[in-house]
Structure formats: structure tokens, C-alpha cells
Amino acid sequence: MPDQPAASGAPTPLVGAGTGAPPGGAADPAAATVSAPEATFASTNPVTGAVVGHFPVASPQRVSAAVAAARAAAPWWAGLGAAGRREHLLRWAAHLARHDGELVELLHAENGKTAADARIELLLTLEHIRWAARNAGRVLRTRRVLPGPFLANHTARVEYRPLGVVGVIGPWNYPLLTPVGSIAYALAAGNPVVFKPSEYTSALGSRLAEAFAAANPAAPTGVLGVVTGFGATGAALCAAGVDKIAFTGSVASGRKVMAACAQSLTPVVIECGGKDPCIVADDADVVAAAHAAAWGAMSNAGQTCAGVERIYVTAAVAEPFLAELRRALAGVRPGGEPDASYGPMTMPGQAAVVRRHVADALARGATALLGGVEAVGGTFISPIVLVDVPEDSPAVQEETFGPVVTVRTVADVDEAVALANGTPYALGATVFSRRRGDEIARRLDAGMVSVNAVLSFAGIPALPFGGSGESGFGRVHGAEGLREFVRPRSVATLRLRLPGTTLTAFQRPPGLLAAVSWAARRRHGRAPAAPPGR
Ligand code: NAD
């Protein structure tokens, strides 16, 4: 990766806004077992270039030590039960909430996002920790099931056991919210976690673990550990014998994670990018749709996996919608100052992707309703709205991950749905329609749909989050997100021995199999009548 933060070979002492030290300090088992000087790297402010902190490039040995510490903590953490873990998680959330100003400042300094975007991210992060903490006991409670007629003398139950140790690999665009969407749910389900934050947001990643330790001083350090570094550190985590990897990031890295985990059959949940469509139907509240789509496309500088990247508006409302979209974006501008609408491109190389998509679209005959290639500077990119971009363009088919949105006028909802479903991604989607919202939502290839609002599914912790196709697989958040981090165990117990009824024995009574077969024919042999042929 050409623009990744620079690594240095010198054993630089850890510095930074109180965030540079590995979690656990001197008591950190990873630190205790690694004596050779390690390379470090600097995480910097994307606007000013100021160093936010220096962090170790964790070697495979350090990663293994962190996993070993987590493994050692696993019986203690699992033994707390859902109620004990709930207290620890709520104390963690309380600690983060009490340090909200500091965290917002750090999010602004390390990721560049505005204080407003940072506040929204922190708010959602806290909601997810709370939901996971308060619902794990209920969702993962042992469940009794019916044994069925042939084993009616048994009881049957499903228990949900923690997996063991979960490795979480996170991105930089929502450096608190996104990893916590896996970390909090894995912890609540009874698993210690080793977290590898993005190399661009290692201070924030380290701060999450420091906050957990500060809020729970009696907990072993291995309950939530952090290993910092680049892709190689993430790869080492995949190979370190964890029981599951929860990965969030690009499709290219997701493929590498799957390939690495395939070696040991380590299961994975993969959360990648999106190219999310927004459909504006004839009967939409056009003003609300334009303002919501503007925010969904441009907030966080468009660096939102489930942000709006494509709009399909029906011809009947295209003109007023475009006029209102222009109004909604008037005065919206990026910047590093507190009152900017959104912040910089966090990862410098992403501006090149945005420039390529915009230049290609314009060269193919698209027009810029707002902005254009000249709007793509380096750090800050002003809002860009492109209309009539050919559907096979990179700007329509690939994740742009910048403050850019394409708008296409379509004849009707059928055409909008067909085009919306026409990319390799299937993460989120948005529908604006007063009467047909649910019907249109059902027809979309998307893991999540917001109707008459944007991104609401991400703010409702009970809703599972994830996609299919190039957007990945598996789910975080909600009950499904908790179940990603447990292993069901089925237990069938004989309650009543009924002589002469045991089928699964060599000494079964003569005639028993024939009697059971007769009963099975009666039970299964009466299929519903077939519909009359045409
Ligand atoms: P990235 O793939 O470059 O990096 C993600 C993480 O993977 C980083 O921690 C990185 O160090 C690590 N990594 C890189 N190579 C690895 C390897 N070979 N093995 C193991 N780990 C490795 O992605 P990014 O640029 O940090 O994140 C942006 C992407 O994340 C976008 O595509 C965005 O849409 C996606 N994203 C998805 C969701 C979601 O929930 N679906 C949420 C946020 C971001």
C-alpha cells in the first residue's frame, strides 16, 4: 500500500495523546514475552500531518502472545456468565461516555472527521455496547426444543457456548463504531477479543482497550487486547489460532483474510464495502429524500460503507428532486475546522480513486450537477453530483468511498430496482416512497434497507448488519451478531426408559422397526395435493 503510515525500525518509545502504550502497560503479557526491539509506526492527523501516536508493528510472536493472553483469560470471562459480562461491558460504555469530549477530539485528530460526525459515531458505539451487554443473556439463553414423536421420552436443548478467542480486524472509517460492532458482541457472547485496528487509527483502537481495562481493573488484560501494525499483523492474527476472525475492510483484504483462515479452517465473518443505491419513487417526499440522500452521500466525506453512492429517481419527480438536492448541498463543504460539514479523506490514496471515477464518468458523457474533477484536491473534496453516468462505469460499479453521488433518471420503479440490483455489491439500500416503501425494499438485493430515511438500520442495534456478494457475508449487530460468536451445542437426554421402544439397539424387539416404519408412512406419506397441471 503506497500511502500507508510510515514504519520505522528504531525502537522508538511509545508516545502520543496518552494512547500509544500497548493495553495493559507493563503487565501486558504480549509485552512481557517480546524482548527484541520492534519496529514502530506513526499514526498521523490526516489534515496537519501531526503525529497522534507511535505504535509497535506487532510481530507474529507478539500477536501469538496476545492470543495466548486472551486464551488464558477465556475461562474467567466465560465463567462470569452473561450477567457478569453485562456489568463489565456497561462499565466500559460508562467510561467511554464519561470521556466523550476526549474521544471526539481523538476521532477528529486521528481520523479527521468533524466533531459532529465523531459525536454521532460515539453515540452509536455506546448504543451497541449497551444492546449487546443487555441482550446477550436473553438471546443466548439455553433453549429447549421438542424431541419429536420417535424420541418423545427425551428432553432436548440447545446451549450456546463461546467460541474461545475472537480476532477482530478493523478499518479506519468508523474506528470506534465498526470494530465495536464485533468486539462488544463477541465479548458479550463470552469470548475474549484480540483487536487489530487499522494502521490509520491505532490510537483510537488502543484507546478502546485502555478504556475497557480502566473501567474493569480486576479483569485479566487478555479479555480485550490490541495488536497494532499493518496488513501483516492482521495476517498474523488470522494464523494465530483464534477461533473466529471478524474482518471489516476492503474486498481485496477480505479475500486475503479468507485465504489465510482457510489454512486452519478458522471461521470468518467478512464485512466489506458497498455501492448502495437510493431509489426515489413517484410518490416520494422529494424534499426529505433530497436532504437525506445529500447527508447519506456526503457525511464523513462519503467514507461510509453503507453510504448513498447511487440515486435512481423516477422521471415524474426527477426535476424537483435534483433542484432540491442542489439546495441541500448548497454551503456543504469539507474542512478541518469545527464548523465544516465534513472532514478530509482519511486515507490519502482514496482521493486518487475518487478522481479516477469522476474523470472516467465525465469522459463517458456524464455531467456534473455539482463539483467535478477540479473538486478533487488532495485532502478535502467538495461534494460532487454526477448525472447520467453510464451504468457500466467504475463510478457506478465500484465503491468510490468519497463525497460523490451519481443520479440517474429512470422511467419507473421497475427500472430503478433492476439498476439498483446491478452491481456486485449488496450491502445497504434506501427507498423513498410514501406508499410503496416496503414493496420496493423487498425487491432489493441488500442486507439492510432504510425506508424514507438514510442509514437508520445502522443506528438500531437490534438490527443485523451485513451484506452479500462483494459486500461479504455473516452479520454483526443484533441477535444474529451475537450468534456469530457462539457455537451451538445440542444435548438430548433420555428421561424415561420405555422397555421395548429403543430403535437404536441391536437387541430391538422384533416388529418394532416395522411398526415405526408404518407410523412414519402415516406421518410423512400424505403430501399436500399437487396443483392442477396447466
Ligand atoms: P483495508 O482492507 O485496507 O484494511 C482493513 C483492515 O485489514 C486493516 O486493519 C488492515 O491493516 C487489515 N489488513 C490488510 N491486509 C490484511 C491481510 N492480508 N490480512 C489481515 N488483515 C489485513 O480496508 P480499509 O481501507 O481500512 O477500510 C475501508 C473499507 O472497509 C471500505 O471498503 C469500506 O466499505 C469497508 N467497511 C465496511 C464496513 C461494513 O460493515 N461492511 C464498515 C466499515 C468499512
Side-chain angles (χ1 to χ4, degrees):
M1 191 193 286
D3 56 359
Q4 69 185 13
S8 105
T12 317
L14 297 169
V15 295
T19 58
D28 175 29
T33 55
V34 177
S35 52
E38 285 185 301
T40 62
F41 67 100
S43 173
T44 56
N45 179 311
V47 177
T48 65
V51 172
V52 177
H54 286 95
F55 300 91
V57 180
S59 61
Q61 291 81 355
R62 183 185 269 266
V63 172
S64 293
V67 172
R71 185 83 57 206
W76 181 86
W77 183 243
L80 286 177
R85 293 194 292 271
R86 169 189 154 127
E87 286 175 13
H88 283 71
L89 289 166
L90 292 178
R91 279 198 291 270
W92 182 33
H95 183 96
L96 293 170
R98 283 198 301 270
H99 292 78
D100 60 343
E102 234 174 86
L103 281 162
V104 165
E105 220 170 278
L106 188 58
L107 260 168
H108 176 61
E110 194 177 38
N111 169 284
K113 64 179 66 188
T114 60
D117 281 343
R119 285 246 163 238
I120 293 171
E121 176 170 355
L122 180 58
L123 170 80
L124 295 180
T125 303
L126 295 172
E127 285 301 314
H128 278 288
I129 298 176
R130 186 181 174 86
W131 196 91
R134 292 166 64 99
N135 288 279
R138 174 184 61 80
V139 171
L140 303 177
R141 187 182 299 143
T142 296
R143 199 160 50 87
R144 287 177 84 98
V145 296
L146 291 175
F150 298 115
L151 290 162
N153 56 339
H154 285 65
T155 58
R157 66 179 190 273
V158 187
E159 301 169 349
Y160 296 97
R161 317 273 303 164
L163 296 174
V165 174
V166 171
V168 173
I169 300 175
W172 47 264
N173 60 329
Y174 286 88
L176 297 182
L177 173 62
T178 298
V180 161
S182 295
I183 294 171
Y185 291 77
L187 285 174
N191 310 275
V193 169
V194 177
F195 171 37
K196 152 66 180 87
S198 166
E199 48 273 42
Y200 292 96
T201 50
S202 298
L204 288 153
S206 302
R207 182 58 65 87
L208 277 178
E210 286 163 4
F212 184 89
N216 297 292
T221 51
V223 173
L224 176 55
V226 169
V227 288
T228 52
F230 302 98
T233 298
L237 185 56
C238 297
V242 294
D243 299 285
K244 186 158 194 166
I245 288 282
F247 168 83
T248 308
S250 63
V251 179
S253 302
R255 285 200 176 92
K256 291 182 192 162
V257 165
M258 280 187 77
C261 288
Q263 300 307 310
S264 49
L265 292 185
T266 301
V268 289
V269 45
I270 300 281
E271 299 288 346
C272 295
K275 191 71 191 174
D276 289 7
C278 168
I279 293 179
V280 184
D282 288 2
D283 65 342
D285 176 338
V286 166
V287 173
H291 286 263
W295 190 84
M298 308 299 170
S299 64
N300 208 38
Q303 302 165 124
T304 301
C305 56
V308 174
E309 294 219 0
R310 302 175 286 148
I311 298 171
Y312 297 103
V313 54
T314 56
V317 290
E319 211 181 296
F321 174 79
L322 285 170
E324 196 59 40
L325 185 62
R326 208 196 263 276
R327 271 194 286 280
L329 289 170
V332 170
R333 58 175 183 80
E337 57 285 359
D339 63 341
S341 316
Y342 58 82
M345 302 306 287
T346 304
M347 199 174 72
Q350 200 60 33
V353 176
V354 175
R355 178 178 282 278
R356 175 168 64 81
H357 286 189
V358 174
D360 173 89
L362 295 174
R364 290 179 190 226
T367 31
L369 184 73
L370 205 66
V373 181
E374 69 289 347
V376 188
T379 309
F380 296 110
I381 302 178
S382 298
I384 299 172
V385 179
L386 301 171
V387 294
D388 299 327
V389 185
E391 286 295 306
D392 60 352
S393 312
V396 176
Q397 292 295 320
E398 298 171 18
E399 187 179 48
T400 304
F401 224 48
V404 181
V405 68
T406 65
V407 187
R408 170 162 292 272
T409 302
V410 291
D412 51 26
V413 160
D414 290 348
E415 186 184 359
V417 168
L419 295 176
N421 290 342
T423 78
Y425 295 99
L427 190 59
T430 308
V431 176
F432 283 92
S433 168
R434 285 194 172 92
R435 286 176 296 277
R436 300 178 61 191
D438 289 340
E439 174 220 319
I440 299 168
R442 273 193 293 274
R443 295 166 62 190
L444 288 170
D445 289 341
M448 303 139 330
V449 186
S450 280
V451 178
N452 294 329
V454 277
L455 284 161
S456 4
F457 48 74
I460 300 174
L463 284 178
F465 189 101
S468 58
E470 299 255 313
S471 297
F473 55 86
R475 291 294 183 269
V476 293
H477 305 175
E480 287 78 1
L482 286 165
R483 291 193 196 103
E484 283 282 353
F485 300 111
V486 288
R487 198 172 274 139
R489 184 164 70 184
S490 303
V491 182
T493 306
L494 179 81
R495 285 290 170 220
L496 184 64
R497 196 172 295 282
L498 299 173
T501 63
T502 305
L503 202 56
T504 51
F506 292 114
Q507 290 77 26
R508 75 176 74 92
L512 178 62
L513 192 55
V516 169
S517 299
W518 176 85
R521 266 195 308 278
R522 300 261 320 153
R523 183 170 162 75
H524 302 288
R526 285 181 299 220
R534 272 192 267 174

